[in-house]
Amino acid sequence: MRKWNAVLSAVLIVIMLIHGVIGGLTLLGLSRSMGKWIAWVGFGLIMLHVIFCTAFTVKAVKSGQISGKWYLRENALFWARRISGLCILVLVFFHFGLFGHMTAKGYVLYEFTTMRLAVQLLLGASLFTHIFINIRPLFISFGIPGYKKYKISVFFALSVFLLFCTTAVVCYYAGILL
């Protein structure tokens, strides 16, 4: 089950990257594609990932890997992974329909308020944090040796992606279209 979750995680990262690029280009006025289908596929896979991770968490707590005592320093990474994932799950539900909705006449945009901007920025931060703290176990599960060798490249690529998406959302909020 862990191997399937690792594959699922890698696919989710790819889907998130594609959705982010399509969405960012759309927000900047450089594309008209909505990429809704990939978002729904991603959401379905997120739900599967949540089921797997919930099962792993319950098993870890029941087996005593995470004891009844709060050894925060020893268990910090374990709980940071779960909390960042939970933040993503909550924020994804706010992300749905954040920009508008379809009617018989076409797509109707909502006013993009400061609260909606905050939701988008928090979602981006949560995604980055979750991937950042889970990339090492993902590399290990795929048997990729020398994780440290790739770490800087992966984090640089994720940072560029986050910067692009954040810039697109802020430009959209400010009313700047390219």
Tab-separated table of all heavy atoms in Angstrom, residues 15-36 38-39 95 98-99 112 120-121 123 127 160-173 175-178:
chain	number	residue	atom	x	y	z
A	15	ILE	N	0.208	16.441	-11.442
A	15	ILE	CA	-1.105	17.055	-11.699
A	15	ILE	C	-1.169	18.452	-11.097
A	15	ILE	O	-1.669	19.389	-11.725
A	15	ILE	CB	-2.238	16.153	-11.162
A	15	ILE	CG1	-2.388	14.932	-12.062
A	15	ILE	CG2	-3.558	16.917	-11.051
A	15	ILE	CD1	-3.379	13.903	-11.573
A	16	MET	N	-0.636	18.612	-9.886
A	16	MET	CA	-0.631	19.930	-9.253
A	16	MET	C	0.195	20.929	-10.070
A	16	MET	O	-0.212	22.079	-10.251
A	16	MET	CB	-0.081	19.819	-7.828
A	16	MET	CG	-0.155	21.105	-7.063
A	16	MET	SD	1.362	21.826	-6.374
A	16	MET	CE	2.703	20.842	-6.795
A	17	LEU	N	1.325	20.478	-10.581
A	17	LEU	CA	2.159	21.361	-11.398
A	17	LEU	C	1.429	21.779	-12.677
A	17	LEU	O	1.425	22.959	-13.044
A	17	LEU	CB	3.485	20.677	-11.745
A	17	LEU	CG	4.446	20.444	-10.577
A	17	LEU	CD1	5.610	19.564	-11.010
A	17	LEU	CD2	4.944	21.762	-10.003
A	18	ILE	N	0.791	20.818	-13.344
A	18	ILE	CA	0.054	21.130	-14.574
A	18	ILE	C	-1.103	22.075	-14.274
A	18	ILE	O	-1.298	23.085	-14.955
A	18	ILE	CB	-0.454	19.837	-15.256
A	18	ILE	CG1	0.721	19.013	-15.769
A	18	ILE	CG2	-1.429	20.155	-16.383
A	18	ILE	CD1	0.350	17.598	-16.200
A	19	HIS	N	-1.874	21.774	-13.225
A	19	HIS	CA	-3.014	22.610	-12.851
A	19	HIS	C	-2.546	24.026	-12.483
A	19	HIS	O	-3.169	25.019	-12.864
A	19	HIS	CB	-3.768	21.973	-11.687
A	19	HIS	CG	-4.935	22.765	-11.199
A	19	HIS	ND1	-6.065	22.973	-11.958
A	19	HIS	CD2	-5.153	23.402	-10.022
A	19	HIS	CE1	-6.923	23.702	-11.270
A	19	HIS	NE2	-6.396	23.982	-10.089
A	20	GLY	N	-1.431	24.107	-11.762
A	20	GLY	CA	-0.900	25.412	-11.367
A	20	GLY	C	-0.449	26.247	-12.554
A	20	GLY	O	-0.697	27.453	-12.617
A	21	VAL	N	0.206	25.610	-13.510
A	21	VAL	CA	0.675	26.341	-14.697
A	21	VAL	C	-0.523	26.799	-15.541
A	21	VAL	O	-0.598	27.957	-15.953
A	21	VAL	CB	1.648	25.481	-15.534
A	21	VAL	CG1	1.915	26.102	-16.896
A	21	VAL	CG2	2.960	25.298	-14.773
A	22	ILE	N	-1.482	25.887	-15.780
A	22	ILE	CA	-2.672	26.252	-16.561
A	22	ILE	C	-3.435	27.375	-15.858
A	22	ILE	O	-3.815	28.371	-16.482
A	22	ILE	CB	-3.593	25.030	-16.788
A	22	ILE	CG1	-2.941	24.036	-17.746
A	22	ILE	CG2	-4.956	25.460	-17.325
A	22	ILE	CD1	-3.678	22.709	-17.842
A	23	GLY	N	-3.630	27.222	-14.545
A	23	GLY	CA	-4.344	28.244	-13.781
A	23	GLY	C	-3.603	29.571	-13.762
A	23	GLY	O	-4.209	30.634	-13.912
A	24	GLY	N	-2.294	29.517	-13.583
A	24	GLY	CA	-1.498	30.746	-13.563
A	24	GLY	C	-1.544	31.484	-14.892
A	24	GLY	O	-1.704	32.714	-14.936
A	25	LEU	N	-1.412	30.740	-15.984
A	25	LEU	CA	-1.495	31.359	-17.312
A	25	LEU	C	-2.879	31.958	-17.559
A	25	LEU	O	-3.003	33.026	-18.162
A	25	LEU	CB	-1.147	30.337	-18.397
A	25	LEU	CG	0.308	29.875	-18.437
A	25	LEU	CD1	0.484	28.728	-19.423
A	25	LEU	CD2	1.239	31.032	-18.766
A	26	THR	N	-3.906	31.277	-17.075
A	26	THR	CA	-5.274	31.790	-17.219
A	26	THR	C	-5.451	33.072	-16.409
A	26	THR	O	-6.017	34.055	-16.907
A	26	THR	CB	-6.305	30.727	-16.777
A	26	THR	OG1	-6.112	29.556	-17.564
A	26	THR	CG2	-7.720	31.222	-16.949
A	27	LEU	N	-4.956	33.084	-15.173
A	27	LEU	CA	-5.076	34.277	-14.332
A	27	LEU	C	-4.323	35.464	-14.913
A	27	LEU	O	-4.731	36.610	-14.746
A	27	LEU	CB	-4.571	33.989	-12.915
A	27	LEU	CG	-5.413	33.050	-12.062
A	27	LEU	CD1	-4.728	32.798	-10.724
A	27	LEU	CD2	-6.815	33.593	-11.864
A	28	LEU	N	-3.220	35.184	-15.601
A	28	LEU	CA	-2.439	36.257	-16.220
A	28	LEU	C	-3.004	36.695	-17.571
A	28	LEU	O	-2.488	37.610	-18.196
A	28	LEU	CB	-0.979	35.808	-16.391
A	28	LEU	CG	-0.193	35.632	-15.094
A	28	LEU	CD1	1.146	34.965	-15.374
A	28	LEU	CD2	-0.005	36.968	-14.381
A	29	GLY	N	-4.055	36.025	-18.017
A	29	GLY	CA	-4.679	36.375	-19.292
A	29	GLY	C	-3.936	35.825	-20.493
A	29	GLY	O	-4.160	36.275	-21.620
A	30	LEU	N	-3.062	34.850	-20.284
A	30	LEU	CA	-2.266	34.292	-21.372
A	30	LEU	C	-2.849	33.000	-21.932
A	30	LEU	O	-2.319	32.438	-22.883
A	30	LEU	CB	-0.834	34.041	-20.897
A	30	LEU	CG	-0.080	35.295	-20.432
A	30	LEU	CD1	1.258	34.915	-19.824
A	30	LEU	CD2	0.098	36.262	-21.589
A	31	SER	N	-3.916	32.513	-21.320
A	31	SER	CA	-4.543	31.275	-21.761
A	31	SER	C	-6.035	31.342	-21.453
A	31	SER	O	-6.455	32.052	-20.552
A	31	SER	CB	-3.922	30.082	-21.020
A	31	SER	OG	-4.640	28.904	-21.294
A	32	ARG	N	-6.800	30.589	-22.200
A	32	ARG	CA	-8.237	30.533	-21.942
A	32	ARG	C	-8.645	29.162	-21.401
A	32	ARG	O	-9.793	28.928	-21.087
A	32	ARG	CB	-9.002	30.841	-23.213
A	32	ARG	CG	-8.716	32.254	-23.716
A	32	ARG	CD	-9.628	32.609	-24.831
A	32	ARG	NE	-11.002	32.661	-24.351
A	32	ARG	CZ	-11.693	33.769	-24.161
A	32	ARG	NH1	-11.146	34.911	-24.425
A	32	ARG	NH2	-12.926	33.723	-23.732
A	33	SER	N	-7.678	28.265	-21.312
A	33	SER	CA	-7.956	26.913	-20.838
A	33	SER	C	-8.222	26.936	-19.346
A	33	SER	O	-7.514	27.593	-18.586
A	33	SER	CB	-6.766	25.999	-21.126
A	33	SER	OG	-6.983	24.744	-20.546
A	34	MET	N	-9.223	26.203	-18.927
A	34	MET	CA	-9.551	26.140	-17.509
A	34	MET	C	-8.903	24.928	-16.837
A	34	MET	O	-8.678	24.943	-15.646
A	34	MET	CB	-11.067	26.111	-17.304
A	34	MET	CG	-11.759	27.382	-17.755
A	34	MET	SD	-11.202	28.823	-16.855
A	34	MET	CE	-11.919	28.482	-15.277
A	35	GLY	N	-8.648	23.880	-17.596
A	35	GLY	CA	-8.028	22.700	-17.006
A	35	GLY	C	-8.874	22.051	-15.919
A	35	GLY	O	-8.334	21.430	-15.007
A	36	LYS	N	-10.185	22.205	-16.004
A	36	LYS	CA	-11.089	21.658	-14.976
A	36	LYS	C	-10.965	20.148	-14.853
A	36	LYS	O	-10.991	19.615	-13.752
A	36	LYS	CB	-12.543	22.003	-15.303
A	36	LYS	CG	-13.018	23.302	-14.755
A	36	LYS	CD	-13.619	23.084	-13.389
A	36	LYS	CE	-14.559	24.203	-13.049
A	36	LYS	NZ	-14.217	24.896	-11.859
A	38	ILE	N	-8.448	18.170	-15.281
A	38	ILE	CA	-7.272	17.722	-14.538
A	38	ILE	C	-7.429	18.038	-13.059
A	38	ILE	O	-6.952	17.300	-12.199
A	38	ILE	CB	-5.963	18.284	-15.125
A	38	ILE	CG1	-4.800	17.434	-14.651
A	38	ILE	CG2	-5.753	19.728	-14.758
A	38	ILE	CD1	-3.573	17.555	-15.480
A	39	ALA	N	-8.139	19.118	-12.748
A	39	ALA	CA	-8.393	19.454	-11.348
A	39	ALA	C	-9.266	18.387	-10.692
A	39	ALA	O	-9.015	17.988	-9.548
A	39	ALA	CB	-9.056	20.824	-11.254
A	95	HIS	N	-10.821	26.364	-2.312
A	95	HIS	CA	-10.316	26.652	-3.661
A	95	HIS	C	-11.387	26.385	-4.726
A	95	HIS	O	-11.443	27.074	-5.737
A	95	HIS	CB	-9.069	25.798	-3.913
A	95	HIS	CG	-8.437	25.995	-5.246
A	95	HIS	ND1	-7.737	27.136	-5.586
A	95	HIS	CD2	-8.358	25.174	-6.329
A	95	HIS	CE1	-7.272	27.015	-6.819
A	95	HIS	NE2	-7.633	25.837	-7.303
A	98	LEU	N	-13.659	29.224	-6.314
A	98	LEU	CA	-13.144	30.474	-5.762
A	98	LEU	C	-13.188	31.614	-6.776
A	98	LEU	O	-13.403	32.757	-6.421
A	98	LEU	CB	-11.702	30.263	-5.291
A	98	LEU	CG	-11.094	31.371	-4.454
A	98	LEU	CD1	-11.556	31.222	-3.012
A	98	LEU	CD2	-9.589	31.306	-4.506
A	99	PHE	N	-13.014	31.278	-8.039
A	99	PHE	CA	-12.927	32.306	-9.065
A	99	PHE	C	-14.257	32.578	-9.758
A	99	PHE	O	-14.457	33.644	-10.300
A	99	PHE	CB	-11.871	31.930	-10.102
A	99	PHE	CG	-10.490	31.869	-9.517
A	99	PHE	CD1	-9.923	30.655	-9.183
A	99	PHE	CD2	-9.776	33.027	-9.277
A	99	PHE	CE1	-8.659	30.595	-8.625
A	99	PHE	CE2	-8.513	32.983	-8.725
A	99	PHE	CZ	-7.956	31.763	-8.387
A	112	PHE	N	-12.692	39.045	-6.717
A	112	PHE	CA	-11.557	38.381	-6.073
A	112	PHE	C	-11.127	39.224	-4.876
A	112	PHE	O	-10.359	40.166	-4.993
A	112	PHE	CB	-10.410	38.188	-7.066
A	112	PHE	CG	-9.397	37.180	-6.615
A	112	PHE	CD1	-9.733	35.835	-6.532
A	112	PHE	CD2	-8.124	37.553	-6.266
A	112	PHE	CE1	-8.808	34.890	-6.112
A	112	PHE	CE2	-7.184	36.620	-5.851
A	112	PHE	CZ	-7.531	35.289	-5.768
A	120	GLN	N	-5.751	31.446	-1.446
A	120	GLN	CA	-4.836	30.969	-2.488
A	120	GLN	C	-3.396	30.946	-1.992
A	120	GLN	O	-2.660	29.990	-2.262
A	120	GLN	CB	-4.936	31.847	-3.732
A	120	GLN	CG	-6.229	31.709	-4.471
A	120	GLN	CD	-6.503	30.275	-4.835
A	120	GLN	OE1	-7.294	29.601	-4.191
A	120	GLN	NE2	-5.845	29.797	-5.853
A	121	LEU	N	-2.981	31.994	-1.296
A	121	LEU	CA	-1.608	32.051	-0.804
A	121	LEU	C	-1.360	30.986	0.260
A	121	LEU	O	-0.290	30.351	0.280
A	121	LEU	CB	-1.298	33.446	-0.271
A	121	LEU	CG	-1.338	34.566	-1.316
A	121	LEU	CD1	-1.071	35.919	-0.664
A	121	LEU	CD2	-0.360	34.311	-2.453
A	123	LEU	N	-2.967	28.121	0.486
A	123	LEU	CA	-2.947	26.840	-0.216
A	123	LEU	C	-1.572	26.597	-0.836
A	123	LEU	O	-1.002	25.505	-0.712
A	123	LEU	CB	-4.036	26.788	-1.290
A	123	LEU	CG	-4.105	25.502	-2.125
A	123	LEU	CD1	-4.331	24.280	-1.239
A	123	LEU	CD2	-5.196	25.616	-3.177
A	127	LEU	N	0.892	23.562	0.245
A	127	LEU	CA	1.369	22.593	-0.746
A	127	LEU	C	2.891	22.523	-0.752
A	127	LEU	O	3.474	21.439	-0.752
A	127	LEU	CB	0.864	22.968	-2.143
A	127	LEU	CG	-0.551	22.561	-2.476
A	127	LEU	CD1	-1.036	23.290	-3.715
A	127	LEU	CD2	-0.635	21.060	-2.675
A	160	VAL	N	10.465	28.024	-7.949
A	160	VAL	CA	10.123	28.751	-9.177
A	160	VAL	C	8.639	28.585	-9.486
A	160	VAL	O	7.949	29.545	-9.826
A	160	VAL	CB	11.003	28.286	-10.364
A	160	VAL	CG1	10.480	28.827	-11.688
A	160	VAL	CG2	12.447	28.705	-10.140
A	161	PHE	N	8.151	27.353	-9.344
A	161	PHE	CA	6.726	27.083	-9.565
A	161	PHE	C	5.867	27.894	-8.592
A	161	PHE	O	4.886	28.525	-8.987
A	161	PHE	CB	6.451	25.587	-9.416
A	161	PHE	CG	4.996	25.247	-9.421
A	161	PHE	CD1	4.280	25.240	-10.606
A	161	PHE	CD2	4.337	24.953	-8.239
A	161	PHE	CE1	2.926	24.938	-10.612
A	161	PHE	CE2	2.996	24.639	-8.245
A	161	PHE	CZ	2.285	24.644	-9.429
A	162	LEU	N	6.226	27.875	-7.307
A	162	LEU	CA	5.463	28.629	-6.295
A	162	LEU	C	5.504	30.124	-6.588
A	162	LEU	O	4.486	30.814	-6.467
A	162	LEU	CB	6.020	28.339	-4.901
A	162	LEU	CG	5.312	29.029	-3.739
A	162	LEU	CD1	3.882	28.517	-3.613
A	162	LEU	CD2	6.080	28.795	-2.441
A	163	LEU	N	6.649	30.629	-7.003
A	163	LEU	CA	6.769	32.040	-7.350
A	163	LEU	C	5.877	32.398	-8.534
A	163	LEU	O	5.191	33.428	-8.531
A	163	LEU	CB	8.227	32.390	-7.655
A	163	LEU	CG	8.500	33.845	-8.040
A	163	LEU	CD1	8.148	34.782	-6.880
A	163	LEU	CD2	9.954	34.013	-8.442
A	164	PHE	N	5.845	31.537	-9.542
A	164	PHE	CA	4.991	31.769	-10.708
A	164	PHE	C	3.521	31.815	-10.297
A	164	PHE	O	2.788	32.737	-10.663
A	164	PHE	CB	5.204	30.685	-11.771
A	164	PHE	CG	4.173	30.717	-12.860
A	164	PHE	CD1	4.188	31.709	-13.828
A	164	PHE	CD2	3.157	29.771	-12.900
A	164	PHE	CE1	3.218	31.752	-14.822
A	164	PHE	CE2	2.187	29.795	-13.883
A	164	PHE	CZ	2.211	30.797	-14.851
A	165	CYS	N	3.082	30.817	-9.537
A	165	CYS	CA	1.673	30.753	-9.134
A	165	CYS	C	1.306	31.923	-8.227
A	165	CYS	O	0.235	32.524	-8.381
A	165	CYS	CB	1.374	29.428	-8.434
A	165	CYS	SG	1.413	28.018	-9.557
A	166	THR	N	2.180	32.262	-7.304
A	166	THR	CA	1.925	33.388	-6.403
A	166	THR	C	1.850	34.689	-7.187
A	166	THR	O	0.961	35.525	-6.950
A	166	THR	CB	3.027	33.467	-5.326
A	166	THR	OG1	3.048	32.238	-4.604
A	166	THR	CG2	2.775	34.617	-4.371
A	167	THR	N	2.765	34.878	-8.130
A	167	THR	CA	2.750	36.078	-8.972
A	167	THR	C	1.452	36.158	-9.763
A	167	THR	O	0.833	37.231	-9.849
A	167	THR	CB	3.957	36.082	-9.930
A	167	THR	OG1	5.154	36.042	-9.147
A	167	THR	CG2	3.964	37.305	-10.819
A	168	ALA	N	1.011	35.050	-10.330
A	168	ALA	CA	-0.229	35.033	-11.108
A	168	ALA	C	-1.428	35.400	-10.246
A	168	ALA	O	-2.273	36.210	-10.653
A	168	ALA	CB	-0.438	33.655	-11.741
A	169	VAL	N	-1.506	34.852	-9.050
A	169	VAL	CA	-2.635	35.139	-8.152
A	169	VAL	C	-2.610	36.600	-7.703
A	169	VAL	O	-3.643	37.276	-7.699
A	169	VAL	CB	-2.630	34.182	-6.933
A	169	VAL	CG1	-3.611	34.628	-5.871
A	169	VAL	CG2	-2.939	32.768	-7.373
A	170	VAL	N	-1.439	37.105	-7.359
A	170	VAL	CA	-1.334	38.506	-6.921
A	170	VAL	C	-1.633	39.462	-8.064
A	170	VAL	O	-2.336	40.466	-7.878
A	170	VAL	CB	0.066	38.780	-6.290
A	170	VAL	CG1	0.273	40.262	-6.043
A	170	VAL	CG2	0.207	37.994	-4.983
A	171	CYS	N	-1.151	39.151	-9.259
A	171	CYS	CA	-1.466	39.991	-10.435
A	171	CYS	C	-2.970	39.972	-10.716
A	171	CYS	O	-3.564	41.014	-11.016
A	171	CYS	CB	-0.705	39.515	-11.662
A	171	CYS	SG	1.038	39.945	-11.649
A	172	TYR	N	-3.579	38.822	-10.600
A	172	TYR	CA	-5.038	38.713	-10.803
A	172	TYR	C	-5.764	39.554	-9.761
A	172	TYR	O	-6.699	40.284	-10.074
A	172	TYR	CB	-5.468	37.255	-10.734
A	172	TYR	CG	-6.934	37.047	-10.992
A	172	TYR	CD1	-7.442	37.127	-12.279
A	172	TYR	CD2	-7.815	36.771	-9.950
A	172	TYR	CE1	-8.800	36.943	-12.536
A	172	TYR	CE2	-9.162	36.587	-10.189
A	172	TYR	CZ	-9.657	36.667	-11.470
A	172	TYR	OH	-10.982	36.493	-11.708
A	173	TYR	N	-5.321	39.470	-8.520
A	173	TYR	CA	-5.919	40.248	-7.427
A	173	TYR	C	-5.785	41.742	-7.689
A	173	TYR	O	-6.715	42.516	-7.488
A	173	TYR	CB	-5.254	39.881	-6.096
A	173	TYR	CG	-5.707	40.703	-4.930
A	173	TYR	CD1	-6.966	40.526	-4.370
A	173	TYR	CD2	-4.872	41.661	-4.368
A	173	TYR	CE1	-7.391	41.265	-3.290
A	173	TYR	CE2	-5.280	42.411	-3.280
A	173	TYR	CZ	-6.540	42.208	-2.751
A	173	TYR	OH	-6.949	42.964	-1.679
A	175	GLY	N	-5.510	43.102	-10.543
A	175	GLY	CA	-6.132	43.474	-11.815
A	175	GLY	C	-5.138	43.654	-12.939
A	175	GLY	O	-5.430	44.330	-13.925
A	176	ILE	N	-3.973	43.056	-12.810
A	176	ILE	CA	-2.930	43.170	-13.827
A	176	ILE	C	-2.999	41.957	-14.746
A	176	ILE	O	-2.800	40.828	-14.307
A	176	ILE	CB	-1.521	43.237	-13.176
A	176	ILE	CG1	-1.446	44.428	-12.227
A	176	ILE	CG2	-0.458	43.307	-14.258
A	176	ILE	CD1	-0.213	44.411	-11.355
A	177	LEU	N	-3.292	42.176	-16.002
A	177	LEU	CA	-3.291	41.108	-17.000
A	177	LEU	C	-2.170	41.372	-17.980
A	177	LEU	O	-1.926	42.519	-18.372
A	177	LEU	CB	-4.623	41.027	-17.733
A	177	LEU	CG	-5.839	40.634	-16.901
A	177	LEU	CD1	-7.088	40.659	-17.746
A	177	LEU	CD2	-5.648	39.261	-16.305
A	178	LEU	N	-1.507	40.344	-18.398
A	178	LEU	CA	-0.400	40.526	-19.367
A	178	LEU	C	-0.919	40.573	-20.782
A	178	LEU	O	-1.923	40.118	-21.144
A	178	LEU	CB	0.609	39.390	-19.202
A	178	LEU	CG	1.271	39.299	-17.836
A	178	LEU	CD1	2.256	38.131	-17.803
A	178	LEU	CD2	2.003	40.583	-17.494
